[in-house]
Amino acid sequence: MDTLLQQLINGLTLGAVYALVALGYTMVYGIIGLINFAHGEVVMIGTMVAFTVIVSLASSGMSPLLILGVGLLVSVVVCMVLGWALERVAYRPLRHAPRLTPLITAIGMSIVLQNVAMIIWGRNYITFPPMINKQIYEIGGASFTNVQVAIVSLAALVMLGLIYLVHRTRIGMAMRATAQNPHVASLMGVDINRVIAMAFIIGSALGAVAGCMVGSYYEIAHYQMGFMLGLKAFTAAVLGGIGNLAGAMAGGLLLGLIEALGAGYIGDLTGDFLGSHYQDIFAFIVLIIVLMFRPSGLFGERTGDRA
Amino acid sequence: MNGRIRSSVSVSWQRHWLGLLLLAVVLLAVPFVAALGGQAWVRIANFAILYMFLALGLNIVVGYAGLLDLGYVAFYAVGAYTYALLASPHFGIHLPFWVILPLGAGLACVFGVLLGAPTLKLRGDYLAIVTLGFGEIVRIFMNNLNAPINVTNGAQGITLIDPIRIGDFSFAQTSTFLGVTLSGPQKYYFLLVALALLVIVVNIRLQDSRIGRAWQAIREDEVAAKACGINTRNIKLLAFAMGASFGGIAGGIFSAMQGFVSPESFSLMESITILAMVVLGGMGHIPGVILGAVLLTGLPEALRYGIEPLQRALFGRMIIDPESLRMLVFGLALVLVMRFRPAGLWPSSQRRRELAESAD
Amino acid sequence: MNQVPLLLEAHEVAKHFGGVKALHDVSLTIRRGEIYGLIGPNGAGKTTFFNCLTGLYKNESGHFIFDGVKLEADAPHKAAAVGIARTFQNIRLFGNMTAIENVMVGRHLRTHAGVFGAITRNPTTRAEEAAIARRAEELLHYVGIHERAHDYAKHLSYGDQRRLEIARALATEPKLLALDEPAAGMNGTETEALRVLVEGICRDGVTVLLIEHDVKLVMGLCGRVAVLDYGEKICEDVPVVVQKDPRVIEAYLGGSVA
Amino acid sequence: MLEVNGLRVSYGGIQAVRGITFHVNEGEMVALIGANGAGKSSTLRALSRLLDPAGGSVRYRGKELLALPPHRLVGEGIALVPEGRGVFPRMSSLENLRMGAYARNNKTEIEGDLEQVLGHFPRLKERAQQLAGTLSGGEQQMLAIGRALMSKPRLLLLDEPSMGLAPIMVQKIFEVIRAVASAGMTILLVEQNAKLALEVSQRGYVMESGEITLTDESKKLLTDPKVRACYLGE
Amino acid sequence: MNHVRIPGVLVVLAASMAIIGCGKKEEPKAAAPAPAPAAAAPAPAPKPEMVVKIGHVAPLTGPIAHLGKDNENGARMAVDDANAKKVEIDGKVIKFELLGEDDQADPKTGAVVAQKLVDAKVAGVVGHLNSGTTIPASAIYNQAGLPQISPSATNPKYTQQGFNTAFRVMANDIQQGSVVGTYAVKDMGAKKVAIIDDRTAYGQGLADEVEKAAKAAGATIVAREFTNDKATDFKAILTKIKAKNPDVVFLGGMDAVGGPMLKQMKELGIKAKFTTGDGGCSPELIKLAGPASEGVICSQAGLPPEKLPNGQKFLEDFTKKYGQIQIYSPYSYDAVMVLIDAMKRANSADPVKYLPEVGKTSYDGVTGKIEFDEKGDIKNGAITVFEIKDGKLVTLKSEGGSAPAK
C-alpha cells in the first residue's frame, strides 16, 4: 500500500509539471488554434535563464530563497519577451496561411532555439544548483521532499491564478471572447492582436515557471530537455481537450499518474511483457483510447467550433 | 478538350521528348558528376531520393487527402524491419529483395489501415497527435521486442543485412562493366532513380484518377464529397494505405543500403522532417514535394561543407563552432521560407491562388 | 393521379436539437416524376428534413421509404448510392477544382476504377475515364455552363455555381434530385433560367424535391407543395390552394400572433 | 448620421453587393429588407468591418469607417447585433453583457447600465449565471441585443433579429426593438420578415440580388404590391 | 496545364540532383594537399613535411553532443601531442590533421560522413561514438580499406561483422558486464540485485551481461526496470525497486541518467548500493549527483590512472585544455595514438601498408595497455572498479590487463 501511495505522490509531482507546461500549449491553441511546437523550448530557455541567474547570484550572499525568487522572476520576464517575439515574428505573419505552415515554422523555431541555447549554455548537462535544503518527509511509508511540496503548491497556485485571470479579469474575458468568436469580440472593442500576443506571453510565463520547477526538482538541465517535456505536455493537453484550461490541468495530472502507475504496475499485470520499457507509450495508448470515445478529449467541446 | 482532361502521359512523352532526353542525360550524369566531389555526394543524392520517396508517400496522406500524419516514420520502420529480418543472419533467412520489398510494402499497408481505422473521425490536430503517438509506439516496440522472444534485437539493431542483389550482381560492391566503373552508392543511385520515376508516375496517375479526385474532394469539402456518394472513410483509409506502402518500400531500400537498422533511425524527428519536406516544398504538388525533399536533405549537407569557409570569409575566423551554426541556419531557413512563401517553395498554381485570395 | 407510383414516403420523421424540435413527425409523399416543393419561413425545418433524408443527420423517429425500399441511409454516401442526390443551401462545391472536375467527382459513385487501374491505366480504366469526362461535359452542356468547364469552381458566378452543383448532383444518376434553395441569391433572369432547367430535369425523368424561399418560383414550378412551419407540416396541396391557405400567409407575413 | 455610398462586396468571383447607396438619419429606424441571399447581411458585415468591401465608402458622422479596424467601431458608438446572435457560448449571460461594455471604463456607470438592461430583459436576469450556449434562441437574441446596448451605442445595427425564432419570441424581440428606438436610438434593421420590419421602422430599403430596388417610407412599402409579390409570388 | 506536369517533375528532380552534384565542386578542398601518401614523392628539402589526415566522427549536435565533443577533444589533443613530438615517417615530418565530423548520432548521416572521410582520403578514422552509427559506417571504411577504431561503441556486433578494419579500444559489453556483475555479488555481497537500463544499445547490452554474471555468481535479480536516455524522472521505477528491497541497484546507462537517479533514490530512501558501468563512471556523475554519489561503485575499461604514468598526466592536460572529461575522451585519445603508432611501425601512412600493423598493436595508452584480438576487440581488456569517495573516483580493484612496464 505504501508503494501505491508513493507512486501517487510521484505521479502527482510529475503531473503538476506536465500540467503547467500543457497550459502553455492550451492557452495559445484555445485562442488561435495553433500548436506552438516551440513551447517546450521556451520552457528550456526558462530553466537555462534561471540557472544562469542563480549561479551568478549564488556567491552574492543573498538568501537562497531570494535568489531563487530573482531567478524565477528574470526567467519569467525573459520568456514573456520570447513568447511575444515568437508570436510577432514567426506566427502573426502567418495568421491566414494554410494550417500546416505555422506548424513548420514552429518546428523551425524550436530548432533555432535549441541551437541558440547550445551556443550560449554549451552541450554539457548543467547541474542546477540546489538552493533549497532538501528535507525528506515520510507519511505511511511513502516519502516526499519539501521541493515536491513547493512544486505542487506553486503549480496549484499558478493554476488558480490563471483561472482567476481568465475568468475574473478584463483581459481574461477578452481572451475567452476571442477564443469563442473573434469577429464578435472585435466588435466589442477587443483588439484581437493584443489578446493573441497576451496568450503567448502568459503561456510563456507559465512555461518559465514550469522550467524553474523542472530545474529545481531534477537539478539538471540540458539544451535538449524541452523536446520530450513539450511532447508529453502536448499529449496531456490533448488528452484533456486542447484549448481547455481545466482539461490541460486534468490531462497533465492524469498523464503523470498514468506514467507512474503504468511503470509501477503494468509489468506485474502483464507478466512483465509490458514493463517499464513501455512507460512512454502508456500515455499514448490511453490517449488513443480516450480519443476513440471522446474525439475532442476529456474536457473538449463535443462539437468543436474549429475544424 | 478530352485530351486536356485525360492529361495522358503518352501525350507528354511525345511533346517533350527533347526535354525528357535532356533530363535522362542529366539523371545519368549526376552520379558521375557528383562523384567528382566525392562519393559522399552520391550517398547524399541517394538519401535525397529516398526521402523523396517518403515525402511523396506522405504527400498522398497530407497533400492529397488532407490528413495530418505525424507518425509516418512508423511505416518506414515497418518496411525497414521487414527487410532486415528476412534478409540477415538474425533469423538466418535470406530472401531476395523482390520478394521482401513488396512484402514490406504490403505489411506497411496493413499498418496504415490499422492506424487509420480507429482514428479517422478525429479532427486535424487530434489526428496529428494520435498518429504521432502511433509512430512512437511502433518505435518503442522495435526497441523492446528483444524479450521475451528476440524479434527485433532491441536497441542493438540488426546487422549484416544483405545488400540488394540481382543474381551475382550485388549493389554493395564496386564493379566495372562496359568499361564504366560503378561504386556501390552509384549503383544504388540508378536503382533509386528507377524506383523514384516509378513512384512519381504512380503519384501522378493516382492524382489524375477517380481516386485522386475523390481525395481532393474530401480535402475540399468532406460533407459535399459524401453527398456525391464517396465513401469517405474507405477513401481516406486508402490514402493511408497507399502512403504507408511507399514508406514500406523506402524502408526496405534503406535497410539494404545501410546494412544495419536500429530503432534510432525511426524517431519522431524523422516524421517531422518528412512532413517539413512536404509542406516546405509545396503540399500536394509533386515537383514541390520533390524539391522539398532534395533541399532538406541537401541543405544540412551543403552547410556542412559551406559554413566553415563562409564564417572565415565573413569574420576571418571561427566565431561559433560550425555544427551549432549549421542546425541554427537550417532552423532559420525553415522559418524564413514559411514566412515568405507560406504555401511552400513551389506550390501548385491553385494553392498559390487559394492563399492569395484568403490573404486579402 | 391515384395510380402514379410513389418514389418517396416520409413517415412521421422527427428530429430534435437539444430541447428544440426541429422536425415534428413530418409525413409526406413524393410521386415519381413530379416536382415537389417544400417551403416555409426561415428555421422552419426544411433543411433539417433534407439532412435527415440524405443521411447527414439521423432522425430520432420515423422512417423513409424510397423506391419501395426502407431507406437505411445512415451515411450520406449510402443515400447517394440508392439514388438521392442533393445540392446545398450555401453552395458546397470543391472550390479549388475546375467545374468539370467537380462533375467528374459526381461520377465517382457510378464508376469503379481502383488504385490498380489508376496506376496501370489499363484500357478499361482509360475507357472509363473517357466516359467520365464525356458524361461530365454533357452535363455541363445540359446545365449550360460548358464554356466554363476549366475554370475553378470558386471563380464561377453565383448562378453558375448553383448550376454546377446541380450538374454534379445529376452526375450521380439520381432518381430523386433534392435542391436546397437553388434560387437564393439569383436575380430575375437567373431564376427564370433555373426554372427552365429544373423543368427540363424533371421532363428527363428525374423526380425533383425543391426547397425554396422564392415562393413565386415554387408556385410556378411545382406540382405539389408542402409547407413547414416550426417543424410541422401545416399544409400540403397544389400551389393555388396553398397560396390561399391562411396559415401559410400568416407564417410568411408574420400576421397577428395570439 | 450614416451614409453608405456605392458599397460593393464580393466573395471570390461572386458579387454579393453591387454598389448600393443608402443613408440613416440620426434618431430614425431604417429597415433593409429582402429575400435570403439578397446581400443584406453582406452589407452589414461590410459596415461592421467583418469583411473588406471591394469598393465604396461608408461615412459615419463625417468619418470614413472603412479606414478603421473593427475593434475601434465600438468606441465610435456603433454596435452590431450579428446574424445568428453571435453570443459567446461558453460565457455566462452576465459575462456576455459585460463583454458588451468592454470598451468602457466607468465601473459604476457600467453596473448601472447592467441593471437597466437586465430590467429590460427579466428573462436574462433569471438566467444571468447560465452559459449563453445553453439559452434558447430567443433568449440568445435578447442577450445579443442587451450586449450591444451595454456599449452605449449611438447607432445600433440589427442583423436578422427574428431569424429562427418562435412567433411569440419574435413579437417580444420586436417590442424590445421598438422600446429601444423610442428611447431615441438610431437603428439600422436588416430583416427578412418584411412585415415586422416595416411595421416598426420609419423608412425602408428593399434589396434584391445585391442591389437596392425600392425605397420609401415603411408604411407605403408595406402596402406596395411589388413587395407582396416579392415575398408571396402573387 | 496538365501536359507539362511530367517533365516538370523530372526537371526538378534532375535540377536538384544537378545542384547537389555541383555543390561539391564549389566546396573548397579543405587543405589542398590531400596526400595520396604512397604516391607522394620524397621532396628535396631535408626535413620534408607531409600532412596526414585522421578522421574523427561523433555527434556534435543533438542530445549526446556533449559526449561527442568530448571525444573529439580527446582526439584533437592526441593530434596536437603527436604534432608536438614531430613524428617522422618514411623520412618525413608528419603534420597530423584532424577532420572532425558530426554524425548527429543518426545512422544515415553516419554513412554520409563516413563516405566524406573516405573521399577526403584520411589515413584512418576514430569513431563513431554510438554503436548505431559505428556499425553502418564500418562497412564503408571496410570497403575503402581504412582502419577504424571506435573509442566508445560497445556493441559486440561491431567487431563480429568480420571486417579486418574494425577495432575498438574499449572493452565490449560482455567483458565489462561480467566484471561488474561478479563484483556486485562476490565483493559487495549482494544477494538481491535490481537492474535498470536505458534502452539504448549500450545500456541494454551492458545490463544483459550484468544480469547474466550476477545470476551466475548466485544472486537473484529481483527487479529489471527500464527508462530511456532522455528521461529525468525515475521515481516510478525506483519506487517499484524499493518495494523489492534489493542490496544493489545496477544502471546500464549514462551519467546524465545516473545523476538524477541517485538523487531520487536518496529522496525515496533507497538504501541499496548503486553500481553502474563506464557510461556513468565519470566526474560528470559526481557533479550531477552531488553528495548522493558517495559510495557509488562503478567500472571503467582500462587501468586506473595511478597505475598509468601517462594517465594522470593526460587527465591534467586535458582538464587544463578543454575542461572536465565527460567519459570517453581518454579512449579517443588512445585510439588516435594507436593509429599513429601503427603508422610509425609500418613506416607508412598508407592504410594499405599500415592496416596490418594496427592489428599487431601493443601500445601503452592513457587507459591501459592496448592489444587487439583477431576480431579487433581489445585483448584482455582491463576493467577497473571504482568507488566514489569524497567526490572522487577511488580505485577498488582492477581485473585483467597488465600494468605497463615503467
Side-chain angles (χ1 to χ4, degrees):
Chain A
M1 212 49 213
D2 53 342
T3 314
L4 178 63
L5 184 62
Q6 183 70 58
Q7 294 291 26
L8 290 176
I9 294 173
N10 301 340
L12 183 70
T13 321
L14 189 59
V17 174
Y18 285 160
L20 263 192
V21 183
L23 281 172
Y25 282 100
T26 268
M27 286 288 293
V28 169
Y29 189 91
I31 290 184
I32 48 172
L34 166 78
I35 301 171
N36 178 17
F37 254 110
H39 186 62
E41 264 54 59
V42 173
V43 175
M44 178 269 293
I45 299 274
T47 316
M48 293 297 193
V49 168
F51 161 81
T52 307
V53 171
I54 290 172
V55 166
S56 55
L57 289 181
S59 52
S60 68
M62 285 159 73
S63 85
L65 270 179
L66 187 62
I67 295 178
L68 211 60
V70 173
L72 182 68
L73 199 72
V74 173
S75 110
V76 165
V77 170
V78 169
C79 285
M80 283 167 109
V81 172
L82 182 64
W84 174 82
L86 270 180
E87 197 274 329
R88 200 63 245 266
V89 176
Y91 300 136
R92 189 179 296 181
L94 299 176
R95 193 121 1 114
H96 301 287
R99 208 167 49 90
L100 285 182
T101 306
L103 191 74
I104 302 299
T105 305
I107 290 163
M109 282 315 299
S110 116
I111 295 175
V112 168
L113 288 178
Q114 269 183 27
N115 283 280
V116 166
M118 181 167 99
I119 291 168
I120 299 178
W121 286 285
R123 293 180 169 85
N124 294 346
Y125 279 83
I126 288 169
T127 318
F128 208 84
M131 297 309 291
I132 308 175
N133 223 340
K134 221 175 250 178
Q135 302 279 322
I136 299 171
Y137 309 104
E138 273 204 32
I139 286 185
S143 57
F144 57 93
T145 66
N146 50 349
V147 176
Q148 276 174 296
V149 175
I151 284 176
V152 173
S153 21
L154 184 58
L157 215 66
V158 168
M159 289 183 213
L160 285 178
L162 187 68
I163 289 177
Y164 176 83
L165 178 95
V166 169
H167 287 272
R168 288 282 175 274
T169 64
R170 202 171 114 90
I171 180 76
M173 213 154 82
M175 282 179 168
R176 283 187 297 145
T178 307
Q180 294 173 30
N181 194 335
H183 287 320
V184 175
S186 74
L187 286 176
M188 304 291 131
V190 176
D191 184 347
I192 306 288
N193 281 333
R194 233 188 96 226
V195 166
I196 293 174
M198 277 308 283
F200 270 89
I201 290 171
I202 295 171
S204 302
L206 294 173
V209 175
C212 292
M213 283 181 178
V214 173
S216 47
Y217 184 36
Y218 299 116
E219 297 174 5
I220 191 169
H222 189 233
Y223 76 97
Q224 288 256 337
M225 63 187 274
F227 186 74
M228 267 312 255
L229 189 62
L231 191 61
K232 291 277 174 66
F234 176 50
T235 311
V238 175
L239 189 61
I242 191 162
N244 182 305
L245 292 183
M249 294 177 205
L253 287 177
L254 194 61
L255 190 67
L257 289 172
I258 291 170
E259 288 196 345
L261 297 178
Y265 293 100
I266 298 274
D268 296 339
L269 291 178
T270 57
D272 275 334
F273 175 69
L274 284 176
S276 53
H277 34 329
Y278 293 103
Q279 188 176 7
D280 288 327
I281 66 177
F282 298 146
F284 287 123
I285 290 173
V286 171
L287 179 80
I288 291 174
I289 293 171
V290 165
L291 290 185
M292 272 168 72
F293 293 101
R294 291 192 59 96
S296 305
L298 290 174
F299 288 66
E301 302 293 309
R302 256 174 203 282
T303 48
D305 36 8
R306 280 180 224 283
Chain B
M1 186 82 95
N2 267 344
R4 276 178 75 180
I5 296 152
R6 268 186 268 133
S7 97
S8 88
V9 179
S10 58
V11 173
S12 56
W13 284 123
Q14 287 151 16
R15 281 194 206 161
H16 295 272
W17 64 270
L18 189 67
L20 287 167
L21 193 71
L22 198 72
L23 182 77
V25 170
V26 171
L27 283 177
L28 268 174
V30 166
F32 301 104
V33 177
L36 294 179
Q39 291 289 324
W41 281 104
V42 182
R43 280 184 198 270
I44 293 168
N46 287 353
F47 280 119
I49 303 176
L50 196 70
Y51 274 102
M52 201 180 81
F53 236 94
L54 290 166
L56 285 173
L58 183 61
N59 182 46
I60 293 182
V61 184
V62 180
Y64 291 174
L67 303 164
L68 181 49
D69 182 356
L70 278 179
Y72 188 64
V73 79
F75 310 126
Y76 184 43
V78 167
Y81 268 90
T82 306
Y83 191 99
L85 294 176
L86 297 180
S88 75
H90 184 64
F91 287 143
I93 304 171
H94 295 276
L95 296 179
F97 81 96
W98 45 265
V99 174
I100 314 175
L101 283 188
L103 202 66
L107 210 59
C109 248
V110 172
F111 269 81
V113 174
L114 278 182
L115 162 67
T119 56
L120 276 183
K121 55 180 177 188
L122 297 178
R123 289 189 286 133
D125 299 319
Y126 289 90
L127 183 65
I129 182 81
V130 168
T131 50
L132 183 154
F134 179 79
E136 282 292 282
I137 288 172
V138 168
R139 182 185 64 82
I140 290 172
F141 265 98
M142 300 285 177
N143 205 24
N144 289 306
L145 278 181
N146 58 327
I149 306 159
N150 187 356
V151 182
T152 62
N153 206 29
Q156 312 260 353
I158 294 170
T159 46
L160 293 175
I161 300 167
D162 301 343
I164 288 180
R165 204 178 274 127
I166 303 170
D168 284 337
F169 183 83
S170 162
F171 278 80
Q173 255 81 49
T174 302
S175 58
T176 307
F177 59 163
L178 304 176
V180 185
T181 306
L182 285 178
S183 67
Q186 283 172 328
K187 283 194 254 180
Y188 272 112
Y189 170 86
F190 287 111
L191 177 74
L192 280 163
V193 165
L195 282 171
L197 290 177
L198 197 71
V199 166
I200 291 169
V201 169
V202 166
N203 246 279
I204 292 171
R205 290 191 163 186
L206 276 177
Q207 190 179 19
D208 282 347
S209 74
R210 170 175 174 269
I211 307 286
R213 281 191 302 270
W215 282 330
Q216 204 187 345
I218 290 174
R219 202 186 69 207
E220 291 281 325
D221 187 332
E222 195 168 335
V223 171
K226 281 182 188 165
C228 284
I230 294 171
N231 184 338
T232 51
R233 199 179 57 97
N234 288 358
I235 293 285
K236 281 181 180 178
L237 278 183
L238 189 63
F240 263 111
M242 285 307 297
S245 67
F246 282 9
I249 294 175
I253 297 173
F254 174 75
S255 243
M257 234 160 70
Q258 288 283 83
F260 171 79
V261 290
S262 65
E264 60 199 330
S265 290
F266 309 105
S267 64
L268 170 63
M269 211 44 217
E270 226 34 32
S271 283
I272 290 177
T273 308
I274 301 165
L275 181 69
M277 290 170 178
V278 174
V279 177
L280 191 98
M283 217 162 67
H285 191 223
I286 296 168
V289 172
I290 294 172
L291 181 70
V294 171
L295 269 185
L296 287 197
T297 322
L299 183 65
E301 297 308 321
L303 288 172
R304 189 191 292 282
Y305 285 84
I307 211 118
E308 201 176 319
L310 183 75
Q311 254 195 96
R312 284 192 203 285
L314 284 180
F315 311 108
R317 64 197 168 89
M318 300 293 286
I319 292 177
I320 300 167
D321 71 314
E323 285 75 30
S324 322
L325 205 56
R326 188 163 66 92
M327 290 316 282
L328 189 70
V329 170
F330 181 71
L332 272 179
L334 284 186
V335 174
L336 290 178
V337 168
M338 291 288 89
R339 167 71 181 80
F340 294 104
R341 303 213 48 134
L345 284 170
W346 192 351
S348 61
S349 49
Q350 46 174 282
R351 280 277 157 142
R352 208 160 35 226
R353 207 166 13 231
E354 256 167 66
L355 190 68
E357 273 165 24
S358 67
D360 55 39
Chain C
M1 152 156 181
N2 42 9
Q3 282 315 308
V4 179
L6 297 177
L7 183 63
L8 178 79
E9 297 165 60
H11 287 287
E12 298 182 340
V13 175
K15 173 79 192 168
H16 300 221
F17 290 110
V20 185
K21 272 184 188 164
L23 279 182
H24 188 73
D25 294 345
V26 174
S27 299
L28 48 82
T29 53
I30 300 177
R31 298 170 194 149
R32 211 177 279 279
E34 75 174 340
I35 300 178
Y36 189 94
L38 189 59
I39 63 170
N42 254 340
K46 303 174 306 254
T47 300
T48 307
F49 179 81
F50 243 52
N51 288 343
C52 287
L53 172 65
T54 54
L56 216 51
Y57 294 162
K58 190 140 183 51
N59 39 303
E60 274 114 25
S61 61
H63 62 273
F64 295 97
I65 293 178
F66 183 75
D67 209 9
V69 184
K70 189 170 174 206
L71 201 55
E72 301 289 354
D74 50 357
H77 68 267
K78 291 187 188 164
V82 300
I84 302 173
R86 69 170 294 179
T87 64
F88 294 87
Q89 185 177 1
N90 42 348
I91 307 187
R92 300 188 84 144
L93 287 167
F94 309 120
N96 295 300
M97 295 169 88
T98 61
I100 191 155
E101 281 172 338
N102 268 275
V103 185
M104 286 165 84
V105 170
R107 292 298 297 156
H108 185 91
L109 192 57
R110 308 294 169 203
T111 47
H112 311 282
V115 169
F116 184 74
I119 293 170
T120 56
R121 292 238 165 113
N122 53 11
T124 328
T125 312
R126 281 213 298 271
E128 188 181 275
E129 275 290 294
I132 290 173
R134 210 166 36 241
R135 180 68 185 140
E137 271 186 70
E138 281 168 18
L139 284 166
L140 287 179
H141 256 285
Y142 186 77
V143 301
I145 54 170
H146 55 281
E147 275 157 16
R148 311 215 55 188
H150 296 283
D151 289 340
Y152 286 112
K154 64 181 178 192
H155 293 153
L156 300 186
S157 74
Y158 204 64
D160 286 353
Q161 291 197 359
R162 289 276 181 215
R163 286 164 178 277
L164 178 55
E165 229 192 350
I166 292 172
R168 187 180 68 186
L170 286 175
T172 66
E173 292 172 19
K175 293 172 185 155
L176 176 70
L177 176 64
L179 303 173
D180 196 350
E181 302 208 14
M186 287 186 171
N187 59 29
T189 351
E190 287 170 333
T191 308
E192 177 54 25
L194 178 75
R195 196 183 60 77
V196 174
L197 175 64
V198 173
E199 274 173 354
I201 291 170
C202 181
R203 218 177 14 251
D204 293 335
V206 179
T207 308
V208 177
L209 167 60
L210 180 70
I211 290 184
E212 190 45 72
H213 247 89
D214 187 333
V215 182
K216 188 163 63 179
L217 178 71
V218 173
M219 297 306 174
L221 202 52
C222 298
R224 289 188 312 141
V225 175
V227 185
L228 285 187
D229 198 21
Y230 297 105
E232 283 187 67
K233 188 176 81 175
I234 55 173
C235 172
E236 180 185 25
D237 215 318
V238 290
V240 272
V241 179
V242 168
Q243 228 163 350
K244 297 285 184 288
D245 192 305
R247 283 172 304 181
V248 176
I249 293 172
E250 185 185 301
Y252 263 83
L253 283 177
S256 56
V257 180
Chain D
M1 190 173 200
L2 184 75
E3 287 171 65
V4 176
N5 243 312
L7 186 73
R8 284 182 292 120
V9 178
S10 53
Y11 304 98
I14 310 157
Q15 282 230 334
V17 177
R18 310 175 185 207
I20 60 167
T21 299
F22 65 93
H23 67 276
V24 181
N25 297 321
E26 179 122 34
E28 73 173 343
M29 171 155 25
V30 172
L32 188 61
I33 59 173
N36 227 12
K40 310 182 300 282
S41 282
S42 300
T43 306
L44 219 50
R45 281 163 160 268
L47 288 189
S48 58
R49 308 286 293 103
L50 288 188
L51 53 83
D52 286 314
S57 80
V58 178
R59 298 188 76 75
Y60 166 78
R61 299 161 66 82
K63 209 182 237 176
E64 180 55 59
L65 274 191
L66 296 184
L68 289 181
H71 68 265
R72 297 278 302 281
L73 289 179
V74 64
E76 298 292 327
I78 299 176
L80 170 77
V81 179
E83 182 180 359
R85 276 86 71 174
V87 297
F88 303 114
R90 294 188 296 285
M91 290 169 102
S92 70
S93 307
L94 212 54
E95 285 176 317
N96 264 282
L97 291 176
R98 284 188 200 283
M99 266 318 286
Y102 182 80
R104 297 167 57 191
N105 285 317
N106 190 328
K107 271 213 164 131
T108 45
E109 229 183 85
I110 292 176
E111 289 309 308
D113 288 347
L114 197 58
E115 280 311 304
Q116 208 183 331
V117 168
L118 287 178
H120 256 310
F121 303 100
R123 195 68 164 266
L124 292 184
K125 200 166 188 174
E126 290 165 27
R127 316 247 152 151
Q129 298 304 332
Q130 210 172 317
L131 289 188
T134 65
L135 300 181
S136 77
E139 287 161 348
Q140 288 191 8
Q141 188 64 60
M142 289 181 187
L143 184 57
I145 295 176
R147 185 179 61 184
L149 292 178
M150 283 301 292
S151 70
K152 287 229 148 183
R154 293 161 190 258
L155 171 64
L156 189 62
L157 310 175
L158 289 166
D159 198 352
E160 306 268 9
S162 79
M163 192 180 209
L165 297 184
I168 187 94
M169 254 312 157
V170 175
Q171 213 62 27
K172 282 205 172 136
I173 296 289
F174 272 81
E175 272 164 31
V176 172
I177 295 173
R178 220 186 293 253
V180 172
S182 60
M185 180 79 70
T186 314
I187 298 179
L188 175 61
L189 170 66
V190 167
E191 182 53 74
Q192 206 183 187
N193 190 326
K195 187 165 178 227
L196 274 175
L198 294 175
E199 272 171 4
V200 293
S201 59
Q202 281 99 55
R203 288 192 301 121
Y205 293 89
V206 180
M207 261 189 106
E208 238 180 304
S209 308
E211 283 161 22
I212 288 179
T213 50
L214 266 179
T215 174
D216 210 329
E217 279 178 32
S218 298
K219 269 179 261 159
K220 290 186 183 156
L221 284 177
L222 205 50
T223 52
D224 193 314
K226 273 182 276 182
V227 176
R228 290 186 75 87
C230 183
Y231 278 89
L232 279 175
E234 277 168 2
Chain E
M1 229 8 241
N2 283 339
H3 57 267
V4 291
R5 208 177 264 153
I6 286 220
V9 170
L10 298 183
V11 166
V12 190
L13 175 63
S16 355
M17 293 294 118
I19 288 167
I20 284 194
C22 299
K24 90 281 124 209
K25 269 189 282 176
E26 298 149 19
E27 161 253 334
K29 282 272 188 314
K47 282 276 180 190
E49 266 207 4
M50 187 172 81
V51 174
V52 169
K53 290 192 219 163
I54 291 176
H56 178 271
V57 191
L60 301 176
T61 49
I64 53 167
H66 59 297
L67 296 177
K69 198 71 192 173
D70 183 52
N71 277 17
E72 190 180 290
N73 288 340
R76 183 148 276 138
M77 197 160 106
V79 164
D80 291 349
D81 286 359
N83 283 338
K85 282 187 208 146
K86 300 224 178 293
V87 176
E88 281 185 39
I89 290 175
D90 199 17
K92 283 165 288 201
V93 174
I94 303 296
K95 187 175 180 294
F96 291 102
E97 262 185 20
L98 191 76
L99 284 189
E101 287 292 348
D102 173 19
D103 66 14
Q104 297 168 296
D106 168 30
K108 138 182 78 57
T109 312
V112 170
V113 295
Q115 188 69 56
K116 195 187 164 199
L117 290 177
V118 171
D119 293 344
K121 301 210 163 41
V122 295
V125 176
V126 173
H128 303 191
L129 194 154
N130 323 58
S131 300
T133 49
T134 305
I135 293 172
S138 65
I140 295 168
Y141 299 128
N142 182 51
Q143 264 208 341
L146 277 185
Q148 172 194 16
I149 304 181
S150 173
S152 50
T154 54
N155 188 335
K157 291 216 167 137
Y158 163 52
T159 47
Q160 286 166 6
Q161 300 175 96
F163 295 156
N164 66 342
T165 46
F167 300 91
R168 76 175 122 217
V169 290
M170 149 75 55
N172 70 24
D173 296 338
I174 301 172
Q175 294 165 314
Q176 193 179 167
S178 69
V179 170
V180 183
T182 316
Y183 186 89
V185 181
K186 292 270 165 69
D187 298 57
M188 296 164 74
K191 296 197 171 53
K192 292 188 279 182
V193 178
I195 296 176
I196 304 171
D197 80 62
D198 68 356
R199 289 283 99 190
T200 60
Y202 162 73
Q204 183 202 328
L206 187 59
D208 284 351
E209 294 306 327
V210 169
E211 180 173 349
K212 270 186 222 159
K215 271 187 189 157
T220 8
I221 309 300
V222 291
R224 181 79 204 255
E225 292 297 330
F226 310 91
T227 180
N228 70 63
D229 56 337
K230 292 172 197 74
T232 46
D233 192 301
F234 313 102
K235 285 206 166 158
I237 55 173
L238 290 176
T239 301
K240 206 177 158 194
I241 284 172
K242 186 187 177 190
K244 299 280 166 60
N245 200 20
D247 304 317
V248 165
V249 175
F250 175 82
L251 166 71
M254 309 304 288
D255 44 20
V257 168
M261 187 180 281
L262 276 165
K263 285 184 178 169
Q264 289 167 29
M265 278 174 72
K266 201 173 167 195
E267 283 172 25
L268 289 172
I270 295 175
K271 303 284 188 300
K273 278 268 192 182
F274 184 87
T275 62
T276 183
D278 55 343
C281 201
S282 66
E284 187 73 7
L285 181 83
I286 301 169
K287 189 183 108 195
L288 292 176
S293 65
E294 281 301 298
V296 167
I297 308 285
C298 63
S299 66
Q300 277 182 10
L303 289 168
E306 62 267 21
K307 285 197 183 169
L308 300 162
N310 312 339
Q312 207 56 42
K313 184 173 176 309
F314 170 80
L315 261 177
E316 283 160 21
D317 290 351
F318 187 92
T319 315
K320 210 182 293 167
K321 206 163 174 183
Y322 299 109
Q324 182 156 47
I325 288 181
Q326 295 288 327
I327 297 177
Y328 299 113
S329 44
Y331 302 95
S332 66
Y333 181 89
D334 272 355
V336 173
M337 287 309 191
V338 165
L339 284 177
I340 295 175
D341 181 60
M343 290 178 202
K344 280 199 271 188
R345 278 181 284 119
N347 201 24
S348 167
D350 180 0
V352 180
K353 297 206 174 123
Y354 87 87
L355 176 61
E357 290 298 327
V358 179
K360 296 180 209 150
T361 292
S362 172
Y363 176 80
D364 295 326
V366 299
T367 60
K369 181 145 192 107
I370 295 168
E371 288 174 308
F372 296 113
D373 64 13
E374 67 286 352
K375 283 188 291 193
D377 275 327
I378 190 159
K379 198 192 279 178
N380 194 19
I383 307 286
T384 304
V385 180
F386 294 86
E387 179 173 6
I388 296 174
K389 275 189 193 146
D390 303 325
K392 286 202 175 60
L393 288 165
V394 178
T395 311
L396 288 182
K397 83 186 255 195
S398 295
E399 279 200 14
S402 46
K406 296 210 172 166

